[in-house]
Amino acid sequence: MKRVKINSLLDLPLDGVTYQTEWTGHSRQGKRSMLLEIALLAGNFGPGLFIISYFTKWDVGLLLGFLIVAIGYGIPHLVFLGKIGRFWRAILKPRSSWISKGFIFASMFMLFGFLAVADQLPIAADLFAFVVPYIDYILILAVISALLLAIYPGFLFAVIRAIPFWNSGAVVPLFLFQAIGAGIGLTFIFSEFTTMTLTNPDLLVPLNIVMIALIGIAIGIIIKSGKAKSGSAGTASVKQLVHGKFRFLFIIGAVVIGILVPMIIMVMSYIFIDQSILLAIAGVMQIIGIISFKYTFLNAGAYNRLFTLRSMSHNPKV
Amino acid sequence: MTHWVMVIDLDKCTGCQTCTVACKVENALGPTIQRVRVLANEIGEFPDVKRIYIPRRCMNCEDPQCTDVCPSGATFKRDDGIVAINQDECIGCRYCIMACPYNARTFHAVEQSYHDTPSEWEEKRYPEHTVGVVDKCDFCCSRIDKGLENGQKPGIDQDATPFCVFSCIADAIHFGDLDNENSNVSQLIKEREGFRLLEAMGTDPSVYYLPRRY
């Protein structure tokens, strides 16, 4: 039993909020897994790479983006379910549940994405040769579904009113910016370390600068809105990130490595240094930053306290 | 219309956990599964210390957030106000656990019993909460339904009343129909100005607490 010393008996302190544990695998039965964290990242990186590869006309990037989603997003989600055999039921309530909507978006992307990259797959190329005349339309549909797939997790978190830290309007755009930023970062990495030729660097560098800036602004808004919900779990969540056990991962990982250093590199690259290795380094840092943020974001989600003494007694002298 | 509510008298609750154990017995729940939790907190400094107990279970909200987020429709709201789970439809995504502001739900991750082999009662009740699905208090709706079929009155007749209600040794838990102005729960809430947890969230919970008077 935790002893607390407070000035007023009427308001209990902020300590003792409950952090969400189910989606980070710290369930009451002690089964730890990183399945959802992996799925969350793959559901961000894969669509992002797919979208950027479409505009840079990099076919292998399309394939990689699709495979990241198929393997890194789909399989962990399935394994995470308590009843894998009933997975198809997840589509039954698209009007109200963002999991149902996400299932639809993911299915759309798996279909159109597969058709878009089928010509690159050894067996499928011949079987799906019939789609070649329609490839432009299929690619557009695949990009749209990739966009929806990248965005929907933001809604998934933002609609949970029970966790004030997640219940912010900036979460949805943040997921989009991170997806695009990750796509650009991965493109820089692959262009440096593979035979891929980077097309449109004049477009990607300033776009990445904008994305990094928007990511920083969105994270700042989420932190500010979390703190603003004073007396609630939002403040506790922010404290965990800035002062608590996640401070190293958040400040160093998500902010410094993920935003500040890549921003400096991008600006320098844009203005006067034309070195592709720097772009790749910035890309690696962006990826590290997104991983750090998603991990801390997921783990820092806290529920409101259920009661204060004020709500329990009519006697102000209690 | 019927609206089943539970009223808990915080004056009488001693934190004995009888309701917690009674629920586990009635529903044959495993060692790490609890539908009822009695939250306790100490305040003040010796010698002026107080201890507060809040028995918490699913609030069976009138505007439940869990039913909206459930992708399979396994969690649903009955006409009598009880929020139930169809264990045959739950896919175990645990979105409802995340969405519940009261932390009232539990996921069955592993098969478990209190002894090396399940008891006869545990085996009988196991199909109602298999591994891989979410569990929560449902006001013992099966007891209520059966009692109503037999012409009994929930909240008055034991066989038609949630098990924790009549198990409470302090008579701190009451159960009845809020839509009936003359019911014990309606009168208690009115007389003692019953309150609910996290009312500002707009969930409209069906569990009321009678505030302490001392």
Side-chain angles (χ1 to χ4, degrees):
Chain A
M1 189 78 65
K2 185 179 178 185
R3 289 178 180 270
V4 292
K5 180 183 173 184
I6 50 173
N7 292 327
S8 166
L9 288 176
L10 293 176
D11 292 298
L12 294 174
L14 289 175
D15 293 333
V17 293
T18 307
Y19 292 92
Q20 76 84 11
T21 56
E22 211 60 52
W23 275 359
T24 50
H26 292 103
S27 70
R28 289 185 189 132
Q29 283 104 35
K31 287 187 76 174
R32 177 75 178 108
S33 76
M34 296 196 58
L35 289 170
L36 270 194
E37 285 142 334
I38 293 169
L40 202 63
L41 290 167
N44 209 238
F45 294 167
L49 181 60
F50 193 93
I51 293 168
I52 297 300
S53 298
Y54 171 75
F55 289 104
T56 57
K57 311 257 186 282
W58 184 36
D59 288 343
V60 176
L62 294 175
L63 176 63
L64 286 173
F66 171 78
L67 289 175
I68 288 172
V69 173
I71 299 169
Y73 170 87
I75 294 176
H77 262 127
L78 278 179
V79 176
F80 181 78
L81 292 179
K83 293 286 189 188
I84 298 175
R86 298 178 188 169
F87 77 94
W88 57 272
R89 288 190 171 273
I91 208 171
L92 291 178
K93 282 186 65 184
R95 272 196 188 174
S96 63
S97 172
W98 276 98
I99 286 186
S100 289
K101 289 172 187 149
F103 191 98
I104 292 171
F105 301 151
S107 303
M108 282 169 55
F109 179 74
M110 294 301 286
L111 171 64
F112 296 122
F114 175 76
L115 291 175
V117 302
D119 61 329
Q120 299 183 57
L121 298 169
I123 300 171
D126 295 328
L127 281 171
F128 293 93
F130 65 91
V131 305
V132 171
Y134 311 102
I135 196 68
D136 289 339
Y137 304 107
I138 288 172
L139 272 170
I140 290 171
L141 289 170
V143 167
I144 292 171
S145 50
L147 206 62
L148 293 170
L149 186 59
I151 293 173
Y152 99 86
F155 284 104
L156 195 85
F157 288 105
V159 299
I160 299 178
R161 286 182 284 153
I163 299 178
F165 181 59
W166 291 355
N167 190 223
S168 167
V171 172
V172 174
L174 174 63
F175 272 69
L176 174 62
F177 302 148
Q178 285 182 329
I180 304 296
I184 297 174
L186 287 169
T187 303
F188 287 153
I189 295 169
F190 284 119
S191 71
E192 178 63 20
F193 299 110
T194 67
T195 55
M196 173 223 178
T197 304
L198 182 65
T199 58
N200 302 328
D202 294 340
L203 171 64
L204 289 182
V205 172
L207 179 60
N208 204 24
I209 291 173
V210 171
M211 285 300 122
I212 294 172
L214 289 173
I215 288 170
I217 292 169
I219 290 176
I221 292 173
I222 291 170
I223 297 293
K224 187 89 173 31
S225 67
K227 279 174 73 174
K229 293 162 187 169
S230 80
S232 82
T235 311
S237 295
V238 170
K239 277 187 180 174
Q240 278 283 56
L241 293 184
V242 178
H243 303 293
K245 65 178 186 177
F246 298 123
R247 65 185 183 282
F248 180 81
L249 208 53
F250 177 72
I251 295 173
I252 304 297
V255 178
V256 175
I257 295 177
I259 296 174
L260 292 178
V261 176
M263 177 60 95
I264 293 170
I265 294 175
M266 283 291 128
V267 170
M268 282 167 54
S269 295
Y270 185 63
I271 295 175
F272 45 63
I273 301 177
D274 187 14
Q275 289 283 342
S276 60
I277 185 70
L278 284 178
L279 298 181
I281 292 171
V284 170
M285 290 184 155
Q286 270 181 269
I287 298 298
I288 292 172
I290 293 170
I291 293 171
S292 302
F293 176 79
K294 291 258 193 294
Y295 180 84
T296 53
F297 180 77
L298 200 57
N299 282 273
Y303 295 93
N304 275 317
R305 294 185 61 85
L306 285 184
F307 63 96
T308 62
L309 188 56
R310 191 188 296 273
S311 67
M312 291 166 44
S313 174
H314 290 284
N315 184 351
K317 294 180 182 175
V318 172
Chain B
M1 282 298 279
T2 307
H3 178 196
W4 298 120
V5 301
M6 194 172 277
V7 177
I8 299 171
D9 191 344
L10 296 178
D11 259 352
K12 293 183 178 176
C13 179
T14 61
C16 66
Q17 306 276 2
T18 298
C19 52
T20 305
V21 175
C23 174
K24 287 177 78 68
V25 167
E26 166 66 8
N27 296 292
L29 300 174
T32 59
I33 309 296
Q34 276 179 245
R35 294 185 177 182
V36 178
R37 285 182 188 270
V38 179
L39 306 178
N41 207 335
E42 278 182 4
I43 55 170
E45 224 176 296
F46 181 84
D48 190 24
V49 182
K50 289 184 191 298
R51 201 173 264 197
I52 309 161
Y53 299 103
I54 297 268
R56 185 214 64 201
R57 73 257 288 134
C58 172
M59 301 287 153
N60 287 278
C61 306
E62 281 296 284
D63 186 13
Q65 296 180 17
C66 52
T67 54
D68 287 341
V69 303
C70 177
S72 66
T75 290
F76 63 98
K77 187 159 180 64
R78 297 173 18 148
D79 291 336
D80 57 5
I82 293 175
V83 177
I85 300 177
N86 186 333
Q87 305 279 359
D88 294 328
E89 292 180 2
C90 179
I91 65 173
C93 69
R94 293 157 251 178
Y95 200 8
C96 55
I97 296 179
M98 309 302 295
C100 177
Y102 304 98
N103 274 311
R105 290 170 168 256
T106 312
F107 177 66
H108 286 264
V110 294
E111 199 163 324
Q112 52 187 299
S113 69
Y114 277 96
H115 305 284
D116 292 335
T117 53
S119 66
E120 194 180 318
W121 181 237
E122 283 174 322
E123 277 196 9
K124 186 182 174 189
R125 298 301 298 270
Y126 177 73
E128 297 169 28
H129 38 74
T130 56
V131 172
V133 297
V134 173
D135 194 272
K136 70 169 197 71
C137 166
D138 57 4
F139 284 172
C140 290
C141 55
S142 53
R143 291 174 64 89
I144 293 172
D145 294 339
K146 199 170 176 190
L148 287 170
E149 277 174 27
N150 295 336
Q152 292 169 315
K153 292 181 183 170
I156 298 173
D157 297 311
Q158 276 194 4
D159 290 341
T161 300
F163 206 74
C164 59
V165 174
F166 64 84
S167 299
C168 177
I169 60 173
D171 194 27
I173 310 176
H174 308 271
F175 187 80
D177 179 9
L178 189 66
D179 284 351
N180 179 358
E181 286 181 356
N182 299 320
S183 66
N184 59 337
V185 290
S186 298
Q187 289 180 0
L188 279 170
I189 292 168
K190 193 175 169 188
E191 286 164 14
R192 296 272 304 275
E193 294 179 23
F195 70 93
R196 296 174 293 181
L197 299 180
L198 296 180
E199 288 201 61
M201 294 213 64
T203 52
D204 200 1
S206 297
V207 176
Y208 287 77
Y209 295 87
L210 304 180
R212 291 167 54 144
R213 289 174 289 189
Y214 61 89

